[in-house]
Amino acid sequence: MPQELFGRSEESKVITGMLHAARGGAGAVALVEGIIGTGKTSLLRWAEETAREQGMVVLSATASPTEQRFSLGVVHQLLGTLPETAHGWERAFASGGAPPGGGPDEPDYPLLAELCAAVGRAARRTPILLTVDCVHHADSRSLLWLGFLSRRLDNLPVVLLATKRCGEPASDQHLLVELMEGVRADRHIHLHDLSPSAAFDLAAALQGHDHESVDALVAGTGGNPYLLTERLRTAPTGPAGRGPADAADEGLRLQAVKERILCMLRRLDPHGLDVARAASILGAPLDPSILAALCGVSTEDACRTLGRLTESGLLCSHDMTFRHPVLAELLYEDIPCADRAELHRLAACFMRRRSASCEDVAAHLLRSHRLDEPWMARLLLDVAQGMVGRDPAGARRLIEKAVLHGLPEDQSARAEGLRIQALTALDLPASARALTAHAAGACGPAERLREALRLSDILLRLDDPACARQVLEHARSESGTPDPATAARLRERLTHIRLHEGTYRPGDRDEDRLERVLLLRTAAGDSAAAVRRIADRVLTVPRAPYGSTTWYHALLALLWAGDVDEARRHIDTEVRLAHTEGTVTRIAEALAVRGLVQLHRGLLAEAGSDARTALDLLTRIDADKFHVGALARSVLIDVALEKDDIAAAGALLEEAPPLPGEQPVTWWRLHLLHSAGRALGRMGQAQRGLALIAHCGDELTRRGVDNPAILPWLSTRSALQSALGDGAAARCAAREETERARRWGAPFALGRALVAQASAGSGREALQFAEQAAEVLEPASAPLLFAHALYAAGRAHRQSGRARRTRELLHRANEVGISLGADGLVEAVQRELRHAGGRPDPRKDSTESLLTPTERQVSELAARGMSNRGIAQLLKVSLRNVESHLTHSYRKLRISGRHELTRYFPADETPGPAAVLLYQPRPALTPPHRLRTG
């Protein structure tokens, strides 16, 4: 069987048709043309195998530049084995020399006719396929004969199939053009690089690579079959079962590819190799004048050479970039290292004179071995300053390059400042060390204070408040009386330090009065309504800038006061601003706090996603075990517990054990201690969990925090004591938290405390507390906690013998739990439901099935922007009917309005084209981001 072709179905049909026609007595000529490596020879060999299978005689020849001086060399390769041409060869060799007088060395007409007649006689016995590979390298006599034969094939059972490489010079261009003009347009086959799908098929046939690796190979080779095959063969891992490939063998194979390209470049043009190397240095876009200067040739010669490189397929015609990036890499590596560095330096100089962008000039300076002009180091610093926010690693490379080659004295401080700024987004502990050394050498008082503030901020993020305080106090003592703005920043930072380490007392006079009242009331837990009013005032721009310490104090106070929706609106804005600024620490802090807000709203998938992203960002800068890294882990643990993923919670505890004494118990670490205590209780280690919760309570008491909305450590202690069988202590702890929550007055905190009191109690008392919790939480934006209250109420009703009410409450808790993805709660609810004599509805075991088909259809149309009236007209129902269905959908999906329906019905889904309410199954309803776990 012929070898398999990839991506060449249309071309193979043309050749198959020609072979079929030749067996019927109608000859034809075809030309396969393409750039290097597109598979021209493979197509030729496929045609030969196909012809042999069909009983045809195959005569093949391959032309090469080294044999162009041999007259009729290609014809002899083709016909040398035919007995009919034996007499003709004697005559051809006899006349093979140049005639006297120096005329053109051409065979006479009788010889051409005799060779063609011999082919005809042989073909009448058996149809013949003649193949000539690289016909552009054929000698002039062979080209003349091939053209002579092609014009006489109409009534002969002969197929002439030749290949030509684009852009290659021919021995006689006129004869080659004459041969090409005799080819019908539909038989002039142009081969291109493989499509991604064909490239994957080829890779799978060779080595079984996966999609990811093939995508990378196609990107590097441009889908060129030859280059792709060579890269596959030299990949680090060989075919399945063969083990690692030999690295030396890979280098030899790529070396062979490089040598082949170098030979072709030398043939194309006298300056072909130099121009191609310079193009690999410059990259895109190519400027012919700069290219000519690098090569030392005229602009006209450079343009002519570029044209030939484009014709040969090495460069793309529209932007003059390399069609196959791997070739650019090979040519680049072929340039000696010293020459390459000098070419980059010259390119930077030429590009600067041509007013190229500073980023492009800096890219060449980065690879140069000399920065011998004053403007070079300054330009690198200018570019680094512009990119330090979006690409700190690239900025750091530019800065280090400038420092390595020497900086003017007036640029040294600037370079160090930029380096520290880049380090802050790459390695936070390293940036603290660098900033400490830099601040020690600061000159003026204002500069020392500024650097001290920067350093204290980083030290706080590394959970070292004592050192941060020492740095600020030392700078303030040395600087004397600062200006009012700096003094205000110092007061704010010192307040933050005291809060972080737990030494803050609301009577301190250094902070802003409004912030002092906010902190006092929030910690004491006196009045949620009053704190909500103060927080609204602080969050009103420009009272406190977004992302500042005061702003976060107000945001958290607003959250704890029960205004979750307003807190979410503010934190969403901060996340957008943080992404715009690009500072890693600010983004991570905003995402971690938003995860906490989402957790209060019961959106587990969103909370887990935000916390995981924040933790990944902090891990990237080696700061995941500090500051908001503890909050992110706390949120992830709580999400894992709600999803009943105890293994994930245990893994998070193993990554950063929150045991007291190992690290300072900073503010966010208190949240991690609390979550760890809950997790240990679920893992059967209630005694260890109780020790952590006790330490957490002691630390909150030391800080003067009595507000149960901040951390419900008493209700958690109650649950752990219940697990240990100490019911009296559990009821006492839950009762104490309820009293504090009533004084605070926020529905979320009170509902949480009542649920804990119901869980610790029994009988009528438990039933009373559970119903109170459900009543308090139903209008609040806390669906997950509301579901827990429903579960507690249903359980209490079952213990009281009210089965019907039990099933009603548990069915509703089951529905809410499913909509939020709270697998742990859902499992407990369904178990209790079965004990109550009911059973979970099997049609409502996932978010997708919560809505009825009618509600699903109405909600989908609303998500796509249709008005209620438009939906009613389309479905031929009343407007009130549509409003009712939407209301039920909002309740079941735990959303506030139609703007949130797009989470469940993405815009790219095709709407159901029903004109009436049809009960049609729909594919997916769960929002895509909810499918990811935290």
Side-chain angles (χ1 to χ4, degrees):
M1 291 292 292
Q3 62 179 353
E4 185 178 1
L5 291 176
F6 298 93
R8 303 294 184 227
S9 57
E10 295 301 321
E11 293 84 353
S12 61
K13 288 178 183 178
V14 173
I15 295 174
T16 303
M18 292 171 57
L19 296 178
H20 178 74
R23 295 200 311 276
V29 59
L31 180 67
V32 180
E33 189 171 6
I35 64 174
I36 185 172
T38 48
K40 301 180 292 297
T41 303
S42 297
L43 185 61
L44 217 60
R45 301 296 169 253
W46 176 87
E48 292 170 357
E49 292 181 26
T50 304
R52 290 191 186 98
E53 281 198 344
Q54 296 176 3
M56 299 178 66
V57 174
V58 176
L59 304 175
S60 62
T62 300
S64 68
T66 57
E67 294 187 8
Q68 283 185 357
R69 62 190 184 90
F70 297 113
S71 180
L72 290 176
V74 170
V75 180
H76 187 264
Q77 285 188 60
L78 286 172
L79 309 181
T81 59
L82 282 180
E84 290 82 356
T85 62
H87 178 68
W89 289 123
E90 295 177 1
R91 182 177 173 186
F93 293 149
S95 61
D105 183 16
E106 296 179 353
D108 54 12
Y109 183 87
L111 176 59
L112 297 178
E114 181 179 345
L115 292 174
C116 288
V119 172
R121 288 193 299 273
R124 288 188 181 94
R125 290 197 309 273
T126 306
I128 294 177
L129 169 64
L130 299 173
T131 63
V132 181
D133 198 10
C134 299
V135 70
H136 49 280
H137 290 322
D139 59 279
S140 57
R141 282 191 169 191
S142 294
L143 282 175
L144 179 63
W145 183 82
L146 290 171
F148 189 88
L149 175 66
S150 67
R151 293 185 289 274
R152 290 162 175 78
L153 290 181
D154 291 341
N155 299 317
L156 291 177
V158 177
V159 173
L160 173 59
L161 186 58
T163 66
K164 174 186 175 296
R165 186 182 299 158
C166 295
E168 287 273 9
S171 59
D172 192 318
Q173 190 66 26
H174 297 291
L175 290 176
L176 181 59
V177 170
E178 185 178 346
L179 172 63
M180 295 171 61
E181 287 177 348
V183 180
R184 275 174 32 182
D186 59 329
R187 293 172 181 166
H188 193 163
I189 301 171
H190 295 273
L191 293 186
H192 303 284
D193 292 329
L194 296 178
S195 64
S197 60
F200 178 80
D201 292 340
L202 174 60
L206 290 175
Q207 291 191 358
H209 277 58
D210 57 18
H211 277 284
E212 244 181 77
S213 61
V214 169
D215 288 343
L217 287 170
V218 171
T221 62
N224 187 276
Y226 168 65
L227 298 177
L228 181 59
T229 301
E230 292 302 311
R231 290 296 296 272
L232 284 169
R233 289 175 180 170
T234 58
T237 302
R242 290 183 57 186
D246 187 3
D249 182 60
E250 176 185 358
L252 288 174
R253 288 183 183 277
L254 290 179
Q255 181 71 19
V257 173
K258 182 179 72 173
E259 293 299 333
R260 185 176 175 186
I261 296 301
L262 294 179
C263 290
M264 189 185 77
L265 288 170
R266 293 187 181 98
R267 286 196 308 268
L268 285 177
D269 189 89
H271 306 298
L273 182 56
D274 293 335
V275 170
R277 284 174 169 172
S280 71
I281 290 286
L282 286 176
L286 286 179
D287 187 323
S289 61
I290 298 178
L291 195 68
L294 285 181
C295 299
V297 300
S298 65
T299 305
E300 292 77 8
D301 288 341
C303 290
R304 184 194 69 246
T305 305
L306 284 174
R308 290 182 178 174
L309 293 178
T310 303
E311 291 173 7
S312 68
L314 292 178
L315 300 180
C316 297
S317 57
H318 60 282
D319 59 358
M320 291 296 171
T321 57
F322 277 88
R323 188 185 299 273
H324 311 109
V326 66
L327 295 185
E329 295 171 10
L330 290 175
L331 288 170
Y332 183 82
E333 294 298 329
D334 186 60
I335 306 172
C337 184
D339 296 345
R340 194 163 59 221
E342 184 60 19
L343 285 173
H344 277 298
R345 192 187 72 83
L346 292 174
C349 295
F350 293 141
M351 291 174 71
R352 181 170 178 266
R353 293 171 194 164
R354 301 280 295 182
S355 301
S357 69
C358 293
E359 289 79 5
D360 292 338
V361 176
H364 289 287
L365 290 177
L366 195 60
R367 298 186 177 189
S368 172
H369 286 178
R370 289 189 297 141
L371 301 181
D372 53 355
E373 297 187 34
W375 62 268
M376 293 180 174
R378 289 191 176 90
L379 184 139
L380 288 176
L381 294 182
D382 291 341
V383 175
Q385 185 169 2
M387 66 189 297
V388 68
R390 66 178 187 275
D391 184 10
R396 183 183 179 184
R397 287 194 295 271
L398 294 174
I399 296 164
E400 290 176 348
K401 179 73 174 181
V403 172
L404 179 65
H405 290 269
L407 283 171
E409 291 185 6
D410 59 334
Q411 297 293 315
S412 299
R414 179 192 179 197
E416 184 61 15
L418 287 173
R419 189 178 75 87
I420 294 170
Q421 188 177 349
L423 276 175
T424 305
L426 296 171
D427 187 343
L428 205 60
S431 71
R433 294 190 294 270
L435 188 55
T436 301
H438 181 62
C443 300
E447 184 182 358
R448 282 198 296 272
L449 273 176
R450 184 173 61 251
E451 297 304 326
L453 286 167
R454 287 178 62 192
L455 180 57
S456 66
D457 181 68
I458 295 175
L459 291 172
L460 275 179
R461 294 183 185 280
L462 293 174
D463 288 344
D464 193 354
C467 190
R469 176 203 291 271
Q470 182 182 356
V471 166
L472 286 180
E473 290 176 348
H474 180 72
R476 184 164 62 176
S477 64
E478 284 191 347
S479 304
T481 304
D483 59 272
T486 305
R489 290 184 63 190
L490 279 171
R491 286 196 304 271
E492 180 184 356
R493 185 60 51 77
L494 288 169
T495 299
H496 192 194
I497 290 173
R498 288 194 290 270
L499 283 167
H500 208 64
E501 63 185 1
T503 59
Y504 173 79
R505 294 294 175 268
D508 292 342
R509 297 295 176 180
D510 282 345
E511 75 275 13
D512 178 78
R513 179 179 177 277
L514 193 62
E515 184 179 12
R516 184 170 69 249
V517 174
L518 176 72
L519 294 172
L520 172 64
R521 293 210 167 202
T522 303
D526 283 341
S527 172
V531 167
R532 191 182 305 118
R533 288 193 297 271
I534 298 173
D536 284 333
R537 286 186 60 187
V538 174
L539 291 172
T540 301
V541 178
R543 180 75 191 190
Y546 271 91
S548 65
T549 304
T550 303
W551 185 88
Y552 270 113
H553 290 163
L555 177 81
L556 292 171
L558 194 65
L559 173 67
W560 295 325
D563 200 345
V564 183
D565 291 333
E566 189 67 13
R568 183 194 64 172
R569 186 179 68 81
H570 283 293
I571 194 62
D572 285 345
T573 303
E574 166 59 12
V575 169
R576 289 194 295 270
L577 292 174
H579 278 291
T580 302
E581 181 185 290
T583 305
V584 175
T585 50
R586 182 177 178 183
I587 296 172
E589 187 170 16
L591 287 173
V593 174
R594 190 170 72 173
L596 181 64
V597 175
Q598 303 283 35
L599 190 61
H600 273 67
R601 297 178 67 224
L603 302 180
L604 301 179
E606 290 85 343
S609 175
D610 282 340
R612 174 54 62 189
T613 304
L615 200 58
D616 290 344
L617 288 172
L618 292 171
T619 302
R620 208 174 72 194
I621 61 173
D622 200 20
D624 57 302
K625 294 180 175 60
F626 309 106
H627 199 50
V628 291
L631 175 61
R633 278 195 169 85
S634 169
V635 172
L636 287 173
I637 290 172
D638 288 341
V639 168
L641 294 178
E642 293 293 348
K643 289 182 172 292
D644 202 26
D645 192 352
I646 307 301
L652 287 164
L653 290 180
E654 289 177 2
E655 289 177 7
L659 300 177
E662 292 185 0
Q663 288 182 344
V665 184
T666 54
W667 179 249
W668 291 128
R669 196 162 182 80
L670 281 172
H671 288 72
L672 181 57
L673 281 173
H674 178 261
S675 299
R678 289 187 61 212
L680 288 172
R682 290 284 296 275
M683 295 164 63
Q685 304 178 42
Q687 195 65 51
R688 286 185 61 200
L690 200 58
L692 289 183
I693 295 301
H695 187 84
C696 185
D698 293 342
E699 185 65 24
L700 287 170
T701 303
R702 183 180 73 84
R703 292 169 178 263
V705 177
D706 294 327
N707 193 342
I710 297 175
L711 272 181
W713 68 276
L714 284 169
S715 60
T716 303
R717 186 172 75 176
S718 172
L720 293 172
Q721 288 170 334
S722 295
L724 292 173
D726 192 352
R731 288 190 293 274
C732 180
R735 183 169 57 252
E736 184 179 353
E737 179 160 320
T738 303
E739 292 171 358
R740 295 184 181 185
R742 290 189 189 280
R743 187 173 69 249
W744 174 240
F748 186 91
L750 179 57
R752 184 167 55 190
L754 289 169
V755 169
Q757 200 165 1
S759 299
S762 60
R764 296 175 65 96
E765 183 184 50
L767 177 61
Q768 177 185 358
F769 290 135
E771 288 186 335
Q772 287 181 17
E775 183 180 352
V776 167
L777 290 169
E778 186 165 12
S781 300
L784 181 58
L785 189 56
F786 176 58
H788 279 282
L790 291 174
Y791 166 66
R795 186 180 180 186
H797 274 290
R798 184 182 69 81
Q799 293 172 351
S800 301
R802 300 188 180 99
R804 182 176 179 181
R805 180 59 176 164
T806 296
R807 289 193 293 270
E808 178 184 340
L809 292 170
L810 291 179
H811 275 301
R812 192 173 177 191
N814 184 57
E815 182 180 280
V816 176
I818 289 173
S819 71
L820 298 173
D823 299 334
L825 174 63
V826 169
E827 184 177 348
V829 167
Q830 294 183 355
R831 183 170 56 249
E832 195 71 26
L833 190 57
R834 284 189 290 269
H835 290 163
R839 62 176 183 176
D841 189 343
R843 296 168 300 173
K844 294 185 177 181
D845 59 353
S846 64
T847 310
E848 287 84 350
S849 56
L850 288 176
L851 304 185
T852 66
T854 303
E855 291 166 351
R856 189 195 308 270
Q857 190 175 34
V858 172
S859 300
E860 182 179 12
L861 294 172
R864 287 174 171 77
M866 289 189 67
S867 65
N868 290 359
R869 190 172 300 278
I871 297 172
Q873 292 174 353
L874 176 66
L875 303 181
K876 303 187 186 314
V877 295
S878 68
L879 180 61
R880 186 172 181 179
N881 194 313
V882 172
E883 292 171 348
S884 175
H885 286 312
L886 286 176
T887 301
H888 292 161
S889 299
Y890 299 158
R891 179 181 60 80
K892 291 179 180 180
L893 298 176
R894 313 306 302 175
I895 58 178
S896 58
R898 66 196 302 138
H899 63 282
E900 295 187 62
L901 285 171
T902 53
R903 301 207 310 264
Y904 299 90
F905 300 97
D908 55 353
E909 280 189 10
T910 304
V916 294
L917 292 176
L918 299 177
Y919 290 83
Q920 303 172 354
R922 298 295 304 168
L925 182 61
T926 303
H929 54 279
R930 284 195 177 179
L931 297 177
R932 301 189 301 268
T933 61

